[in-house]
Amino acid sequence: MQKHHLLFNVKNKQRYSAPLLRHGPVRYRHQRPLKKANGVVMNKLSSAEKVPHALMYIDGKWIDSAEQDEIRSPATEQLVATVAQGSIPLADQAVAAAKKAFDSGVWRTMHPHQRAQILLKAADRLEARSEELAALASAENGMPIRIAGPGVIGVSVDFLRYYARLSSEYEYEVEGPRFGPHESEGIIRREPVGVCAAIVPWNVPLVLGMWKIAPALAVGNSVVVKPDRQAPLTLIEFARELEAAGLPAGVLNIVTGEGAVIGAHLAEHPDVAKIAFTGSTVTGRDVMRRASSTLKRVTLELGGKAPSIVLADANINLAVEGVIYGALAFSGQICESGTRLLLPRILHDEFVDRLVHRISELRIGDPASAETDLGPVFSARQKERILAYIETGKAQGATLRYGGTPLKGGDFEQGHWVQPTIFTNVTSDMTIAREEIFGPVLCVIKYDDIDEAIQIANDSEYGLSAGIWSEDYELALAVARRIQAGTVWINDWHALPPGYPFGGYKQSGVGREAGDSALAQYTEEKFIAVAPPKAPSSSPFVR
Ligand code: NAD
């Protein structure tokens, strides 16, 4: 089966030519003529500086606002773009537009093949802009361009095509077996739930947005998307391509703005039937609580603290490469990163030495350069948070084996830079082993036998993902079966093909995205029972 990696595959080092951030702000759209839709200029230049100004998309119109947010490069702090800032009235307009589109049936009752054609056309359009969008993805959140190309744009296009195909093939109405004394007919219908809200974080917005938008649209729902305030650009571009592909007005809407205001409002909105949220566990709890006021359908994709378990028979060289990829790709700012490294005592010292050596060789720098392995962390806040965890690790007695400080001077004078960091002598009770750091920090924990490794791996409030490094297929599979996590990779990491579910055990989430079962999360099942009209009623009152 073909693999679709969320991120850059270590074995497949593709290169992307992209505008260098250090050579000025990325100009992602105004290289083309400015375009008008319904009389509204979509991307005008920001008046403050010559960078693009992105607008919201509501009811098929591109909407500006008096207030705007600045999107700054995490690597240089240069202004990349400005974005119209949403508000509660605009969020209400977006929900009303989505509801109007849903009630009108313009999308819901369209033939599934026709819906699929529109989604496929949007996928082609995204693919045609791969390089430009990879540069944009990298510019807005600092993801190295080598990851952003195949890992974000390529994966997103694959998912869109996958759900377009499912839209055509989905069994919207099936007949069940006949039942009862009158041989009644049973029909199971699957209908779209209505207005779906998608709340998306900053780290991989296009993929995580796609996991919500594509299945929702495939089966006929309307959607309101709330991207992260500091990383909305790729999702806005996706809306542009859906519009160009022929998606009817109101079916997809994008409202920007502060999560605690706009996101929280959507979670409570009585006309939102379903909420799909990706973000931190703390915010996820708040979303679930708010959604409970109207008993919305809820999917939550939350935090993780994945164990990366090296078994004693593993090929050390390959495992070291895999562990680094699992833990440090995009500086560990991925929910399913393998941030707890479980090493058998007998391999520990040799493994750690090799790990340190290889990590010292990683190229840290401009995320827009095809040569870069590790870029900046997302924000000043994120950097401070990571450094605070490093101090806690030291204070609680872990050994700082590598890194542990911010990078300064030269190319690192501006932006948010933290050295990749390895802690050894970590125990499961330490804060750095329990809490999600969301940064380039790997915690090494020793174990003596496999039962102990599994006990440590499962000793977490999270259960999003895990990985096992071994050459013994049966043993690795036996361990995988005992791990409490929604995804377990054996000799791999970050592989997330469209046909497979993704989601968390325990406090890593509720429900699954990405596989075909995701469609069940965007539909209501209806049982229609048809008794023959002339059959006597089965009411006990009839004598
Ligand atoms: P976050 O929870 O702060 O924000 C996520 C999104 O929610 C943003 O769009 C934000 O604006 C919005 N938001 C903030 N407060 C809200 C509220 N009260 N109500 C509704 N929406 C609100 O998370 P983050 O810091 O942006 O992202 C990092 C977190 O996301 C990490 O914990 C990471 O593990 C998690 N994550 C999980 C997955 C997954 O699939 N499980 C994927 C990526 C990231």
Side-chain angles (χ1 to χ4, degrees):
M1 183 184 298
Q2 201 198 344
K3 278 190 180 173
H4 303 258
H5 278 70
L6 174 61
L7 289 170
F8 177 64
N9 182 341
V10 269
K11 294 162 211 142
N12 175 23
K13 301 197 174 185
Q14 268 182 276
R15 291 181 175 206
Y16 275 75
S17 62
L20 288 177
L21 279 182
R22 296 190 193 292
H23 294 176
V26 172
R27 300 178 191 284
Y28 67 87
R29 191 69 188 188
H30 64 264
Q31 293 158 331
R32 300 181 182 188
L34 293 178
K35 193 160 107 170
K36 283 190 167 200
N38 302 321
V40 181
V41 177
M42 293 198 283
N43 266 329
K44 60 185 186 184
L45 294 184
S46 156
S47 54
E49 295 184 44
K50 296 287 179 230
V51 295
H53 178 64
L55 306 182
M56 284 170 279
Y57 185 59
I58 299 173
D59 204 10
K61 301 182 188 68
W62 293 92
I63 306 291
D64 206 350
S65 63
E67 300 288 307
Q68 59 184 40
D69 279 317
E70 290 185 343
I71 308 301
R72 290 191 175 269
S73 156
T76 62
E77 297 175 59
Q78 283 181 356
L79 194 63
V80 169
T82 54
V83 182
Q85 199 187 105
S87 59
I88 287 183
L90 284 169
D92 286 340
Q93 271 184 38
V95 174
K99 185 170 184 315
K100 188 179 72 181
F102 186 78
D103 291 346
S104 76
V106 61
W107 181 248
R108 176 171 54 90
T109 63
M110 185 184 279
H111 193 286
H113 292 316
Q114 220 180 324
R115 280 206 301 264
Q117 287 313 310
I118 291 175
L119 298 181
L120 288 173
K121 198 166 164 193
D124 291 346
R125 295 183 65 90
L126 280 184
E127 193 172 48
R129 294 178 62 195
S130 289
E131 279 202 24
E132 178 199 359
L133 292 177
L136 183 62
S138 172
E140 74 175 340
N141 69 7
M143 179 180 274
I145 196 76
R146 288 161 64 193
I147 296 176
V152 173
I153 313 305
V155 165
S156 300
V157 168
D158 286 349
F159 272 99
L160 190 50
R161 290 191 175 131
Y162 173 76
Y163 283 112
R165 182 170 61 72
L166 284 192
S167 173
S168 301
E169 293 174 1
Y170 196 54
E171 294 191 311
Y172 294 91
E173 202 166 285
V174 289
E175 251 180 63
R178 291 193 170 263
F179 64 94
H182 312 305
E183 287 287 294
S184 298
E185 188 186 334
I187 298 167
I188 299 167
R189 255 179 79 74
R190 297 185 179 95
E191 300 176 352
V193 295
V195 176
C196 303
I199 302 180
V200 184
W202 51 263
N203 65 338
V204 204
L206 191 59
V207 174
L208 300 173
M210 189 65 80
W211 283 3
K212 299 161 180 55
I213 298 165
L217 293 183
V219 289
N221 295 285
S222 298
V223 182
V224 177
V225 184
K226 210 298 288 172
D228 184 89
R229 192 168 173 182
Q230 297 305 315
L233 301 176
T234 51
L235 281 167
I236 291 173
E237 291 307 300
F238 179 36
R240 190 184 311 289
E241 299 313 337
L242 280 167
E243 178 191 51
L247 190 77
V251 175
L252 179 88
N253 306 272
I254 300 212
V255 189
T256 56
E258 183 59 40
V261 178
I262 313 295
H265 185 66
L266 291 174
E268 287 178 345
H269 202 296
D271 289 334
V272 172
K274 145 103 197 178
I275 191 137
F277 170 85
T278 299
S280 61
T281 294
V282 172
T283 313
R285 283 193 198 104
D286 186 53
V287 167
M288 196 168 191
R289 190 178 53 75
R290 290 174 191 275
S292 70
S293 62
T294 48
L295 291 178
K296 291 183 195 352
R297 282 82 191 105
V298 176
T299 33
L300 302 174
E301 298 287 356
L302 308 175
K305 192 77 193 175
S308 187
I309 310 166
V310 176
L311 301 188
D313 72 285
N315 174 317
I316 294 193
N317 284 335
L318 293 179
V320 163
E321 294 304 320
V323 163
I324 291 174
Y325 173 53
L328 295 180
F330 192 27
S331 302
Q333 301 174 113
I334 308 172
C335 51
E336 38 79 344
S337 299
T339 50
R340 286 186 293 151
L341 174 58
L342 275 52
L343 289 180
R345 200 173 291 276
I346 47 164
L347 288 189
H348 179 274
D349 294 354
E350 183 186 355
F351 199 100
V352 170
D353 286 348
R354 292 205 202 180
L355 196 63
V356 167
H357 175 70
R358 277 295 290 128
I359 288 180
S360 70
E361 291 179 339
L362 295 179
R363 281 168 289 187
I364 306 174
D366 182 355
S369 162
E371 299 303 315
T372 293
D373 295 315
L374 296 185
V377 297
F378 178 62
S379 62
R381 186 170 152 255
Q382 196 68 13
K383 175 180 156 186
E384 293 316 315
R385 202 172 160 265
I386 296 164
L387 292 174
Y389 272 115
I390 291 172
E391 289 310 310
T392 304
K394 289 194 274 186
Q396 291 184 350
T399 307
L400 181 63
R401 178 63 200 270
Y402 186 83
T405 54
L407 289 161
K408 289 186 182 142
D411 283 352
F412 307 118
E413 204 46 49
Q414 303 295 316
H416 321 298
W417 301 91
V418 180
Q419 269 189 308
T421 297
I422 303 177
F423 274 110
T424 54
N425 293 317
V426 177
T427 52
S428 257
D429 56 335
M430 290 180 185
T431 306
I432 54 170
R434 305 209 73 78
E435 296 185 9
E436 185 183 46
I437 300 174
F438 225 57
V441 181
L442 182 58
C443 299
V444 183
I445 305 175
K446 278 184 217 143
Y447 72 85
D448 285 311
D449 59 40
I450 286 185
D451 284 346
E452 188 190 5
I454 291 167
Q455 184 273 323
I456 295 169
N458 290 337
D459 180 17
S460 173
E461 70 180 39
Y462 295 115
L464 191 59
S465 62
I468 297 160
W469 308 94
S470 169
E471 296 197 333
D472 183 335
Y473 174 83
E474 293 299 336
L475 178 63
L477 210 53
V479 174
R481 291 191 177 111
R482 294 174 63 190
I483 298 294
Q484 297 161 355
T487 299
V488 183
W489 290 287
I490 296 175
N491 299 322
D492 204 356
W493 214 282
H494 303 304
L496 295 167
Y500 293 85
F502 183 78
Y505 281 35
K506 301 188 269 186
Q507 297 194 39
S508 283
V510 174
R512 294 291 181 271
E513 295 190 313
D516 55 359
S517 58
L519 294 187
Q521 322 248 4
Y522 289 93
T523 48
E524 291 286 6
E525 274 192 320
K526 181 185 282 178
F527 167 40
I528 304 178
V530 193
K534 291 195 176 139
S537 162
S538 51
S539 163
F541 305 142
V542 177
R543 293 199 167 83

